Each structure stands twice: as structure tokens, then as C-alpha cells.
């Protein structure tokens, strides 16, 4: 949790290195391939973020088939929920794992689902650290990793189990290992004596979290962390970048008692359009062709457990312990009932608790629609029946700090734990405020960090500042914020959700400098909050 890169804030801010470096970080990013007048059809694919790595292959696919491809990238739970609601805006879905098809396809619209590639979910650990932990001398178990965390020798980054497939898959693997199950995990197993203590201890080693696997990799590269849990293919991509920067690569560790594999199924969402279905099948056929599968292997993904990968030694690099010869014995995913119970327990009891510092803009510029959007947003996480729909509910030891600001800090409210009364009272306090006055988000963020650092041991939390604003602040308190941020001594990301007539320059600046992101609450409010909650 100790801060590794924040002391450069003052120099960078003074130098004016600003928002050209950072996009607004919308929750559903998009890519389009094709678009020419000779297209047969255009298909819209809702995909996991890990498939951004295949952009060049998709562009070639569109060229070869004449089918336009529109990709929208969201998290696994988003894909599941879209399917539950009928996925009317999409012709196909491409999650990281088949479990999200099984959980989401309540309307039975899925057909033609086929795995495009596979990738184990592994630990990538700095090689020197892996050697010192003895992880390079043979098989490693989840309990070996737990022991390293408990001894204070290992910390890691991992996506949220309730927002991203890599996090969910790793988590289920941990549950199998810590309960000692070799047969299917059951709901009763989740009540096993000692499980909560063990899984909570393991998650206490998390430095930073993320709502998507691809951004976890980017966040890791931008920071200075010991390890991350991610797809083997993204560990490979990270290692290539680390080596190109002259930095130490990650050593891949495959926990033998809790290994999971993502099978990347591409599936058609049947809305009765035969032309779309034909176009989909052409795209799927190309992606499964020898030509495309060869290109997919070159990205660090496996296409078969029996494939000879010896010719890809520069990709599946033995120096990084990318081991294609190892016999993988992945766990079996549990039933839907057990999986949903496990995800709810992760969100409410097992995960490392969040410490959320919400800085809410009540300046005059937020009056009207901006303020209505902000209050609605807080209702998504503070009112339990809303929060439960998207795995946003508070954990037992969670802390929520709310800083109301205009030109100054108006008031600071705090709610601890998951008690509905305390959270609803917090929502009532927020709702009762009226916008008016100037804007100083820097003072609000500084006040929130001071409140957190003075009253809580931040080593025990995943802390984050979440600014909810139209993003236009007076700048004369920036230096005070920088001083407060640097003096706190912790790696605290400053996320933002934009409302009203948002200007993102200052918000992007803070996100860039604290290894965070900016989200647009005006276009996808639920997605923005689910993304922010996935990062802490």
C-alpha cells in the first residue's frame, strides 16, 4: 500500500503535463473494423476487455470476410447482465469464460458458441521476488502464496471478482484450494471453518484492484508493484513491455491446486436476423481458421492444449516461466447457485475492505441535471436493493467517507460497515444538500485524504478518492492538495465520475498522476460506478 510514485506530483503538475495523456476512460470503450461500402453486414460484439489485444486480427477478419465488426468492451458481469436483459443492442457476445454465458442466458438467445482461444489465470511475480520466495523450485500451491502474503513478503494486484472474469476465476480457484476440494465446490463448502480467515488473509495482500483485466495490466505497468494475477496472455504482454523498458519481467506461477482457464467463447445472440447470423458465422469461421489461430498464438494465447508451442519461444518465453509443457489441471466451475453465493460473499465479507472517499460537487454549476445525476449515482451504492443488483453492496468492514464541497469544504460524513441504517442516513444527508457557490475539488480531495489517514490504518484497506463533479475547479489550492497527498505516504488513486457540463482536463490530470481513470456518469451511470468500485 505504501506509495511508490506520487512524490513526482508537484513537478509534473507545475510542468503542465496534462490531459492529452489520458482519455476520459468511458466504461464501455469501442472499436470498429470495416465500414466500407461493400460490407455484407455489420455485427455488434459485446466483449471482454482482454480482446482489445486482438484488434489487428479483427481488422484483418473484417477485410477478409467483408463483414463490419463493432466491438464494445465491458466487464464480465456487465456481459452477464446484458444477456439477462436480452442483449438487444448486440449480435454476439465474447466474454472471457463460458460461465458468464451460462449465468446470463436466461432468455435462451445464445447459439453457435465456440472457444476462440484459452489462457490460464496465473500469478505474475517479479522474478527476483519469486526466486527469494522459493517459487522457482517446483510446484506452488495457493497456500504457499498465502504464507508469503502472511509473512509480509508478497503483495499483488488483482481485478475485482465481482466485476472481471480474471478476478472471479482466480477467486474460485482460491476457494477450491483453501477448502481442499477436489470435487465440485458446493454452497455449504463456503461456510467451511477457517475459510473466511484464510481467504481474507490472502486478499489482505492486494495492493490495487481493477475492474478489467486489460487495465490491470496497464495500471501495473504504470506503477511499481510486486505481482499481479491475470491471464497468462496479459502477463506475456506485460513482460514484453517491461523488458522493452529495461525493467524486471514477471515470472509466471501456476498454482497447481487452484488453477483456472479462460476459454474465450464467441457466441451469437439470436434476434431472428438470418443475415446477421450468416455474417457472424463467417467471422467466427475466420477466427477459427489456421491463419487466424496462428496470429492469435502470436499474441500469447493458447489455441489448444495439445499444440506444439516450441516455435513460439520468444512469446511463450521459458525465461518468464511461461510453461506450455506443464500439464494443466484446471478446477471445474461450480453450479450457478454456488457461484452466485461465492460472488456475494466476496463482495460483502471476503474481499479486502474498501475505504471510499467520495468528494461530491455541490457548486452552483452542478445545479439541476448535474446534481440530480450525482444524487442518483450515490443511491446506486448506498441503497442496498440498488447496490445488490450490480455487486456494489458494502462489505462488513468498509468505510465510506463523503466530502460535500463547493468553493470550500462544507461538511464531511462517514459511514462504517454494511449497516443499512448508516448508509441510508448517509444518502439522506447527501440528498438534503443544495448546490450553490464556487468549486474547489482539490480542497475536498485533500480533506478526504486527511480524514482517512488520521482515523484509519490504510494498510488494512483499498483506499480511493472518487471525485464526482463537472470538473471545473479553481486551481489555487492544487499545491495544498499535492502536499497533503505526498505527506500521507500511501498509493491512493484519484478517480472521477463526470456529471453536468463536464470538463475533464483537471480530472484527467489527477487520474494520470495517481494511476487512476475518469468515467462518464452521464452516459453510463451504473457502468461508471461498477468500474470505480472494481478498482478498489
Amino acid at each position: 500500500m505504501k506509495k511508490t510514485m506520487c512524490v513526482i506530483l508537484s513537478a509534473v503538475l507545475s510542468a503542465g503535463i496534462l490531459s492529452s495523456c489520458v482519455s476520459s476512460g468511458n466504461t464501455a470503450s469501442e472499436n470498429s473494423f470495416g465500414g466500407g461500402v461493400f460490407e455484407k453486414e455489420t455485427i455488434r460484439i459485446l466483449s471482454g476487455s482482454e480482446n482489445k489485444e486482438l484488434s489487428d486480427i479483427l481488422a484483418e477478419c473484417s477485410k477478409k470476410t467483408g463483414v463490419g465488426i463493432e466491438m464494445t468492451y465491458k466487464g464480465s458481469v456487465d456481459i452477464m447482465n446484458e444477456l439477462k436483459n436480452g442483449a438487444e443492442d448486440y449480435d454476439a457476445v465474447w466474454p472471457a469464460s463460458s460461465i458468464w454465458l451460462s449465468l446470463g442466458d436466461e432468455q435462451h438467445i445464445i447459439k453457435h458458441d465456440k472457444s476462440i482461444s484459452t489462457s490460464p489465470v496465473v500469478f505474475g511475480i517479479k522474478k527476483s521476488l519469486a526466486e527469494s520466495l522459493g517459487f522457482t523450485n517446483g510446484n506452488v500451491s495457493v497456500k504457499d502464496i498465502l504464507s508469503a502474503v502472511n509473512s509480509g513478503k508478497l503483495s499483488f494486484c488483482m481485478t475485482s471478482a465481482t466485476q472481471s472474469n480474471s478476478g472471479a476465476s482466480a477467486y474460485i480457484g482460491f476457494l477450491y484450494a483453501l477448502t481442499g476440494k477436489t470435487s465440485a465446490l458446493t454452497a455449504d463448502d463456503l461456510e467451511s471453518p477457517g475459510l473466511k480467515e484464510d481467504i481474507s488473509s490472502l486478499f489482505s495482500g492486494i495492493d490495487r484492484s481493477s475492474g478489467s483485466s486489460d487495465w490491470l495490466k496497464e495500471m501495473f505497468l504504470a506503477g511499481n508493484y510486486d505481482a499481479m494475477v491475470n491471464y497468462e496472455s496479459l502477463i506475456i504482454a506485460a513482460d514484453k513491455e517491461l523488458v522493452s523498458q529495461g525493467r524486471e519481467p514477471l515470472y509466471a506461477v501456476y498454482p497447481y491446486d487452484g488453477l483456472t482457464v479462460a476459454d474465450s467463447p464467441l457466441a451469437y445472440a439470436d434476434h431472428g436476423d438470418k443475415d446477421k447470423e450468416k455474417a457472424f458465422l463467417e467471422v467466427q469461421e475466420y477466427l477459427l481458421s489456421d491463419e487466424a489461430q496462428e496470429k492469435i498464438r502470436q499474441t500469447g494465447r493458447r489455441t489448444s492444449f495439445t499444440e506444439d508451442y516450441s516455435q513460439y519461444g520468444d512469446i511463450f518465453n521459458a525465461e518468464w516461466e511461461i510453461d506450455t509443457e506443464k500439464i494443466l489441471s484446471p478446477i471445474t466451475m461450480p453450479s450457478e447457485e454456488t457461484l452466485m453465493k461465492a460472488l456475494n460473499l466476496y463482495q460483502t465479507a471476503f474481499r479486502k475492505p474498501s475505504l471510499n472517499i467520495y468528494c461530491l460537487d455541490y457548486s452552483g454549476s452542478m445545479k439541476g441535471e448535474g446534481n440530480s445525476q450525482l444524487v442518483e449515482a450515490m443511491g446506486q451504492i448506498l441503497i442496498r436493493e440498488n447496490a445488490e443488483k450490480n455487486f456494489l453492496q458494502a462489505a462488513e468492514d468498509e468505510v465510506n467517507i463523503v466530502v460535500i464541497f463547493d468553493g470550500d469544504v462544507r461538511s464531511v460524513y462517514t459511514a462504517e460497515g454494511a449497516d443499512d441504517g448508516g448508509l441510508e442516513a448517509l444518502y439522506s444527508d447527501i440528498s438534503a444538500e443544495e448546490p450553490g457557490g464556487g468549486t474547489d475539488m482539490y480542497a475536498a480531495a485533500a480533506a478526504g485524504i486527511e480524514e482517512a489517514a488520521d482515523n484509519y490504518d490504510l494498510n488494512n484497506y483499498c483506499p480511493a478518492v472518487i471525485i464526482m463533479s463537472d470538473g471545473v475547479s479553481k486551481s489555487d489550492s492544487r499545491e495544498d492538495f499535492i502536499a497533503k497527498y505526498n505527506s500521507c505516504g500511501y498509493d491512493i488513486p484519484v478517480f472521477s465520475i463526470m456529471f453536468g457540463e463536464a470538463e475533464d482536463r483537471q480530472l484527467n490530470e489527477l487520474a494520470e498522476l495517481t494511476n487512476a481513470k475518469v468515467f462518464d456518469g452521464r452516459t453510463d451511470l451504473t457502468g461508471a460506478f461498477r468500474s470505480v468500485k472494481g478498482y478498489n
Side-chain angles (χ1 to χ4, degrees), residues 60-81:
E60 185 66 18
C61 174
S62 179
K63 180 180 177 181
K64 290 289 181 68
T65 63
V67 176
I69 302 172
E70 293 180 359
M71 299 288 289
T72 298
Y73 301 101
K74 288 190 177 185
S76 298
V77 176
D78 288 308
I79 295 174
M80 177 187 74
N81 286 336

Side-chain angles (χ1 to χ4, degrees), residues 209-373:
S209 190
S210 165
S212 77
S213 304
D214 187 67
W215 197 71
L216 183 76
K217 180 200 73 176
E218 296 303 318
M219 182 192 76
F220 184 90
L221 290 170
N224 183 21
Y225 306 102
D226 287 342
M228 69 169 163
V229 179
N230 214 326
Y231 302 117
E232 179 188 65
S233 59
L234 292 182
I235 298 294
I236 291 171
D239 275 348
K240 289 179 180 178
E241 184 64 26
L242 289 167
V243 169
S244 74
Q245 295 175 9
R247 297 165 62 186
E248 183 178 9
L250 300 175
Y251 183 95
V253 173
Y254 304 75
Y256 67 83
D257 53 349
L259 184 71
T260 55
V261 176
D263 61 346
S264 190
L266 176 60
Y268 182 62
D270 189 4
H271 302 302
D273 187 328
K274 294 300 181 183
D275 291 333
K276 293 282 189 185
E277 184 174 2
K278 181 180 178 183
F280 166 84
L281 289 171
E282 290 186 55
V283 167
Q284 187 183 66
E285 181 180 10
Y286 174 80
L287 292 174
L288 291 170
S289 69
D290 291 344
E291 175 186 345
Q293 292 281 286
E294 166 69 17
K295 292 177 180 178
I296 288 171
R297 286 191 288 273
Q298 291 174 5
T299 70
R301 298 188 185 206
R302 306 188 189 206
T303 54
S304 168
F305 288 119
T306 60
E307 184 74 34
D308 179 9
Y309 293 93
S310 59
Q311 62 180 304
Y312 305 100
D314 59 331
I315 300 167
F316 297 93
N317 193 325
E319 291 185 6
W320 306 333
E321 198 54 23
I322 304 298
D323 190 353
T324 58
E325 299 297 318
K326 185 187 293 286
I327 298 175
L328 301 180
S329 300
I331 57 97
T332 301
M333 279 295 167
S335 68
E336 178 178 344
E337 175 195 3
T338 302
L339 182 58
M340 295 305 287
K341 181 176 180 179
L343 292 176
N344 276 299
L345 281 170
Y346 170 86
Q347 186 65 25
T348 60
F350 290 169
R351 66 186 169 97
K352 189 173 184 178
S354 300
L355 191 150
N356 307 301
I357 304 166
Y358 295 103
C359 298
L360 307 186
D361 186 348
Y362 271 76
S363 64
S365 61
M366 286 285 286
K367 189 174 294 184
E369 185 178 13
N371 182 252
S372 297
Q373 292 170 339

Side-chain angles (χ1 to χ4, degrees), residues 31 114 123 172 251 280 404 420 436 474 509 512 526 531:
N31 276 331
K114 291 184 179 180
F123 270 82
I172 297 301
Y251 183 95
F280 166 84
I404 305 292
D420 289 347
K474 65 183 183 183
E509 174 186 72
E512 167 75 359
T526 300
S531 295

Side-chain angles (χ1 to χ4, degrees), residues 359-367 371 402-413 429-440 443-445 447:
C359 298
L360 307 186
D361 186 348
Y362 271 76
S363 64
S365 61
M366 286 285 286
K367 189 174 294 184
N371 182 252
V402 172
V403 181
I404 305 292
F405 72 94
D406 47 30
D408 297 293
V409 174
R410 285 193 196 175
S411 50
V412 178
Y413 304 105
D429 290 333
I430 293 166
S431 301
E433 297 278 352
E434 293 290 338
T439 310
D440 191 347

